[in-house]
Amino acid sequence: TSDDLNEIAERELGVTGLRPYQTEAIAAVETAIAAGQQSMLLAMATGTGKTRLAIALMFELLRRKRFRRILFLVDRNALGRQTLDAMSTTDTDGFLKFDQVFPVADLARKFPEATDRVQVATVQAMIRRVFEDPSDERPTPGTYDFIIIDEAHRGYTLDAELREDDLGFRNLEDYLSAYRRVLDYFDAKRVALTATPALHTREIFGPPVFHYSYRQAVIDGYLIDHRPPRRITTALAQTGISF
């Protein structure tokens, strides 16, 4: 029952092994939520553990009963499966994994169960469920009260050629407008995670509430710097071949 789950959550003190900047990022989001901010952006370099951060953030928000049910949006099924795997392997301070404390609805589930606290879904699936389902069985605007958008830059930038799932969209503007309609449909606060906050990402979510750059991650010892390029010349390249 939900009472039993709440009791378990109270005993679990959170996700283990967080790095200092991940803890700071969670605090920044909580501060923004407390200030009444509707949309938040976390800009964190690739390789700095955004998925673990997201799971820790969800744990804190659910444990403190800030939110009832969270939608975790991804733009590809593969990313969704990775996230579900991470939820089943991420330790909390007790002995349980994240998905043993808070029930998770997977990609195939159209509607969350009453006890589900997190649902993982692709943007494309949510567009279909909310706007294109002919049966009129669609999630209500109150189904989720918090949305996390993973890799928020990706689904609607020019580096993402439209995939097979997206062939119903005429172009990227069409995709972007449907994406925004999904976010606006739900009466939910939202936080976006990205390594590259492009202009349109900022337009939707505002300036980052927390930023952790590649350079800072290198200085702190979490990422390895790339070496400066070395130009290699050979006699062949310099003199060519003459007969």
Side-chain angles (χ1 to χ4, degrees), residues 76-96:
R76 296 200 308 290
N77 278 317
L79 269 180
R81 285 192 291 272
Q82 284 173 23
T83 305
L84 289 162
D85 287 346
M87 287 179 188
S88 65
T89 56
T90 298
D91 288 308
T92 62
D93 276 342
F95 298 105
L96 299 174

Side-chain angles (χ1 to χ4, degrees), residues 215-242:
R215 181 64 40 215
Q216 190 60 47
V218 169
I219 291 167
D220 293 345
Y222 293 114
L223 293 179
I224 294 174
D225 202 358
H226 53 77
R227 292 170 181 264
R230 294 175 65 183
R231 182 179 292 280
I232 297 171
T233 56
T234 63
L236 179 63
Q238 287 178 310
T239 60
I241 298 173
S242 55

Side-chain angles (χ1 to χ4, degrees), residues 136-241:
D136 275 345
E137 276 194 8
R138 59 188 56 163
T140 64
T143 304
Y144 315 99
D145 47 3
F146 193 69
I147 302 174
I148 295 178
I149 303 98
D150 193 26
E151 303 290 5
H153 62 281
R154 184 185 278 135
Y156 47 88
T157 54
L158 292 172
D159 64 3
E161 308 78 46
L162 291 177
R163 290 171 288 276
E164 282 180 38
D165 282 357
D166 309 324
L167 293 180
F169 302 106
R170 289 187 300 279
N171 53 39
L172 284 160
E173 284 71 31
D174 192 24
Y175 180 89
L176 175 55
S177 92
Y179 171 93
R180 292 188 76 155
R181 279 169 66 211
V182 165
L183 293 181
D184 293 340
Y185 174 81
F186 292 109
D187 181 20
K189 292 186 184 291
R190 60 228 187 169
V191 63
L193 306 173
T194 181
T196 51
L199 175 62
H200 43 244
T201 322
R202 293 169 188 264
E203 283 172 357
I204 296 175
F205 301 104
V209 296
F210 182 80
H211 191 269
Y212 191 68
S213 67
Y214 170 78
R215 181 64 40 215
Q216 190 60 47
V218 169
I219 291 167
D220 293 345
Y222 293 114
L223 293 179
I224 294 174
D225 202 358
H226 53 77
R227 292 170 181 264
R230 294 175 65 183
R231 182 179 292 280
I232 297 171
T233 56
T234 63
L236 179 63
Q238 287 178 310
T239 60
I241 298 173

Side-chain angles (χ1 to χ4, degrees), residues 69-156:
R69 185 181 293 123
I70 296 173
L71 173 62
F72 193 95
L73 267 186
V74 294
D75 84 320
R76 296 200 308 290
N77 278 317
L79 269 180
R81 285 192 291 272
Q82 284 173 23
T83 305
L84 289 162
D85 287 346
M87 287 179 188
S88 65
T89 56
T90 298
D91 288 308
T92 62
D93 276 342
F95 298 105
L96 299 174
K97 309 296 184 189
F98 177 91
D99 65 357
Q100 293 173 309
V101 181
F102 297 113
V104 178
D106 63 20
L107 292 157
R109 188 94 53 84
K110 198 169 174 183
F111 292 102
E113 300 283 336
T115 53
D116 288 333
R117 290 290 167 261
V118 177
Q119 175 148 33
V120 179
T122 63
V123 176
Q124 295 86 338
M126 291 311 299
I127 289 169
R128 285 195 294 270
R129 288 170 200 172
V130 172
F131 301 116
E132 298 171 8
D133 191 333
S135 69
D136 275 345
E137 276 194 8
R138 59 188 56 163
T140 64
T143 304
Y144 315 99
D145 47 3
F146 193 69
I147 302 174
I148 295 178
I149 303 98
D150 193 26
E151 303 290 5
H153 62 281
R154 184 185 278 135
Y156 47 88

